Amino acid sequence: MNNIELSASAKAATDTRRSLGEGGWVWVPFEVDKQFDGYRIDRFLAQRLQSYSRNEVQKILEDARVVKEGRPARASSKVRTGDKIQIAYLRCPEPPLAEDAALPVLYEDEDLLVVNKPAGLLSHPTDKIVSNTVLGVLRYSRKDIKKLHLLHRLDRETSGVLTLAKNPQAARLWTSAMEAHQMQKEYLAIVQGRLSKSEGVIDWPIGREGGDIKVRQWVNVPGAVPAVTYYRVTQQRSYKTPSPLEGEGWDGGTKTPPANPPPQSSPARGEEVYSVVSAFPKTGRLHQIRVHFAALGHPLLGDLLYNGQGKLYLKMIHEGLTEQDRLSLGCSRLALHAVSLTFSHPLTGRKLTVEAPVPDELAALIQPAREF
């Protein structure tokens, strides 16, 4: 592409951004992960925008609402690891942020900001939610920081350590270290049932499952990519439930989990065993820990999406949940918390471990419950 073409392309991108920046449009950023390197952009977007059909993705591209590295993107253009993609969405009405909205800071210096993300808050903007996200809250509460780069993501329902960069150099070096697997993440997960092994490795590729719930992932499906999770059981306890739970008891040993893991009996009528687990994901797939333990036959407590084929997730969307529904899952929220992140500082090289305290609602499941 010559300089004249580059200038015309850059002008077109600027014109696109200017026209869509008016009338309530908002630009939502995406960064291309290594697993999508070489994909056509329409295929990449179909994977990332999982509530959209392929035809809807094509329409977004045709309307010039996608910009790749500052230029309007064509459906056939390829994406590369680290590419910055931006998509324009019509802004939806949102509840205003509280006047004192802020996030607890776990670590901060001139290059990095590490916060403790609460459960229920999105990490990054979407087509429907912009302000009520980690980036939105920080834009509001930390006006002293010119721009923040989200360095990794946590599911909306997951709490804990989340890292952002204050400048492009720190973001670039962090991404390189992450791709080289030079960081260690530790999660607290509370799962149904008693795992037969005190520690192990779950090595099943993960991909989009398909079906009625577009965001749901599963193992060993077409297009799945490698995913590895190490785990160590730290406690086994019980809780009372008003109804039996599904899917506990099978603990692997093969590359393919059974469709319906055989149930095991509970220690007493009206009680269910659960295991407290330290999980160490070596890859960063969407819903990785949740999918791996569900496929193992031990879904996480409070997980609407991966308990009972997602029936309660669909009920939440269409009808809303009762207190009985939530009690049946053993926890009022997803029992997953990013406890710690160990890494070398991207600019100084200093080794750091940042920890997030366990939220009260999960700590209550760990400390007072009866052991087995």
Side-chain angles (χ1 to χ4, degrees):
M1 183 180 288
N2 60 39
N3 290 335
I4 294 175
E5 289 173 320
L6 277 173
S7 298
S9 180
K11 181 179 184 301
T14 301
D15 291 343
T16 298
R17 288 181 60 84
R18 185 180 294 119
S19 64
L20 291 175
E22 302 168 355
W25 291 87
V26 61
W27 287 90
V28 177
F30 293 85
E31 183 168 329
V32 178
D33 296 332
K34 188 176 181 180
Q35 70 188 83
F36 300 116
D37 187 77
Y39 276 36
R40 280 173 49 122
I41 197 166
D42 55 352
R43 186 182 172 205
F44 164 72
L45 292 175
Q47 291 287 322
R48 287 302 309 271
L49 307 180
Q50 297 192 351
S51 61
Y52 285 72
S53 69
R54 192 69 175 264
N55 288 339
E56 289 171 328
V57 168
Q58 293 287 351
K59 183 68 167 61
I60 291 172
L61 286 159
E62 289 168 7
D63 290 345
R65 287 165 49 195
V66 180
V67 170
K68 174 189 154 200
E69 293 296 314
R71 305 181 189 125
R74 296 179 179 178
S76 60
S77 60
K78 300 289 182 68
V79 297
R80 296 297 176 192
T81 303
D83 277 355
K84 305 296 190 296
I85 311 295
Q86 290 186 304
I87 305 174
Y89 295 104
L90 274 172
R91 186 185 288 273
C92 297
E94 282 187 72
L97 291 172
E99 189 175 340
D100 60 349
L103 294 174
V105 175
L106 302 173
Y107 174 85
E108 183 174 6
D109 61 26
E110 61 185 10
D111 301 303
L112 299 176
L113 176 66
V114 187
V115 298
N116 187 4
K117 187 188 90 64
L121 185 68
L122 285 166
S123 297
H124 54 81
T126 69
D127 58 330
K128 297 179 179 66
I129 303 173
V130 177
S131 299
N132 290 274
T133 64
V134 168
L135 287 174
V137 171
L138 290 173
R139 263 190 230 109
Y140 171 81
S141 63
R142 294 298 305 268
K143 294 182 174 64
D144 56 309
I145 304 175
K146 186 175 180 180
K147 187 173 182 181
L148 284 166
H149 306 260
L150 193 64
L151 296 178
H152 56 105
R153 296 184 297 272
L154 293 176
D155 296 343
R156 180 176 188 165
E157 302 89 348
T158 305
S159 54
V161 179
L162 187 66
T163 312
L164 304 98
K166 294 182 177 181
N167 56 68
Q169 184 184 15
R172 185 174 62 254
L173 292 172
W174 177 282
T175 299
S176 297
M178 189 163 58
E179 289 173 357
H181 304 289
Q182 294 173 354
M183 302 173 186
Q184 179 171 302
K185 300 176 183 179
E186 179 180 352
Y187 287 77
L188 166 70
I190 306 177
V191 307
Q192 293 180 24
R194 179 183 289 124
L195 279 76
S196 61
K197 300 175 184 176
S198 61
E199 59 183 44
V201 181
I202 309 172
D203 184 0
W204 287 325
I206 290 174
R208 189 171 173 176
E209 183 183 47
D212 294 336
I213 306 176
K214 293 183 179 180
V215 297
R216 190 175 150 104
Q217 310 292 298
W218 201 244
V219 299
N220 296 320
V221 294
V225 292
V228 179
T229 304
Y230 292 81
Y231 70 88
R232 182 175 64 250
V233 179
T234 60
Q235 298 177 34
Q236 291 182 330
R237 299 181 179 272
S238 74
Y239 68 95
K240 293 185 182 299
T241 176
S243 59
L245 291 165
E246 300 177 22
E248 65 165 298
W250 182 74
D251 199 21
T254 69
K255 295 293 284 186
T256 306
N260 297 294
Q264 292 182 345
S265 59
S266 301
R269 185 177 179 83
E271 289 190 338
E272 293 289 339
V273 173
Y274 64 85
S275 299
V276 181
V277 175
S278 293
F280 307 90
K282 297 305 176 185
T283 49
R285 310 308 177 203
L286 181 63
H287 302 168
Q288 177 172 317
I289 293 172
R290 300 164 66 183
V291 172
H292 269 167
F293 279 99
L296 200 63
H298 300 273
L300 273 64
L301 300 190
D303 196 341
L304 298 171
L305 192 55
Y306 293 103
N307 274 280
Q309 300 299 313
K311 290 178 182 177
L312 286 180
Y313 177 84
L314 291 172
K315 184 179 179 183
M316 176 189 69
I317 293 172
H318 299 301
E319 306 172 31
L321 297 178
T322 65
E323 185 64 21
Q324 183 93 348
D325 291 330
R326 294 193 178 277
L327 285 173
S328 73
L329 295 178
C331 187
S332 61
R333 55 156 287 189
L334 176 68
L336 185 62
H337 177 68
V339 174
S340 71
L341 178 63
T342 299
F343 59 95
S344 294
H345 192 285
L347 277 85
T348 68
R350 183 162 66 100
K351 190 166 185 178
L352 297 166
T353 296
V354 182
E355 299 180 337
V358 177
D360 291 344
E361 60 271 26
L362 300 187
L365 284 170
I366 297 171
Q367 295 165 359
R370 181 164 61 89
E371 290 207 32
F372 287 89

